[in-house]
Amino acid sequence: GNLIFRAAFDATGNEPWITDGTLVGTQMLKNINVSPAANASSSMGAPVLFNGKAYFSAIDTLNGAELWVTDGTVDGTKLVKNINAGKTNSSPLFLTVAGGQLFFRATDTLGGTELWKTDGTTAGTVMVKDIFSGRTAANVLQNSNPTQFVAFGNKLIFTAIDTSGSEL
């Protein structure tokens, strides 16, 4: 019954907010990026509803841009998983629910930018497949860069790059 959204406030920058539609019921949900820098911002991505919770990307000072979840409470707003270890961003994008799962694109140091999914737990947040595995001659990770996510029945349809180029 509440709306989760991103809003800017001078002291905190862009952070997740929540509203029940009233002035009194509108407030910052959690200050995720508590950096001492002026106007540090979590740069919250668009939330997606999955299994009664809102999932979104956000930046904090310890983990970089990673996948977050909220049940609408301060204590229930937390990092799902630090996919790209340390402060290096995994940059989750294109969060899409299909077939009872939440899919997204993320980057890690082992597979590059690939297709991921989550069931909402740390252990259940995994790469679906390293579609374009290996390294280039310059020892740079290959990336499938999945994009254009569409839920189609119980399936996720998307484009990705492999040895043949960009394919459906």
Side-chain angles (χ1 to χ4, degrees), residues 25-145:
T26 303
Q27 60 194 1
M28 184 169 61
L29 180 58
K30 185 170 187 168
N31 187 1
I32 291 174
N33 194 348
V34 293
S35 168
N39 292 329
S41 175
S42 74
S43 297
M44 175 190 173
V48 172
L49 188 61
F50 175 64
N51 288 343
K53 296 180 181 177
Y55 290 79
F56 54 92
S57 63
I59 300 169
D60 75 1
T61 56
L62 298 175
N63 305 292
E66 296 293 342
L67 184 65
W68 284 72
V69 63
T70 187
D71 63 3
T73 67
V74 174
D75 290 341
T77 303
K78 56 191 173 189
L79 177 71
V80 175
K81 182 175 185 172
N82 188 354
I83 293 168
N84 210 358
K87 295 180 183 179
T88 307
N89 301 330
S90 76
S91 302
L93 291 172
F94 312 120
L95 280 65
T96 305
V97 177
Q101 299 181 79
L102 177 61
F103 293 95
F104 58 98
R105 172 173 121 173
T107 303
D108 74 358
T109 56
L110 299 175
T113 304
E114 296 294 339
L115 179 64
W116 284 71
K117 69 178 180 177
T118 188
D119 64 3
T121 66
T122 301
T125 303
V126 296
M127 184 187 302
V128 175
K129 182 176 182 177
D130 189 351
I131 296 168
F132 197 5
S133 62
R135 295 182 173 270
T136 66
N139 202 29
V140 175
L141 272 175
Q142 304 279 15
N143 299 293
S144 74
N145 293 321

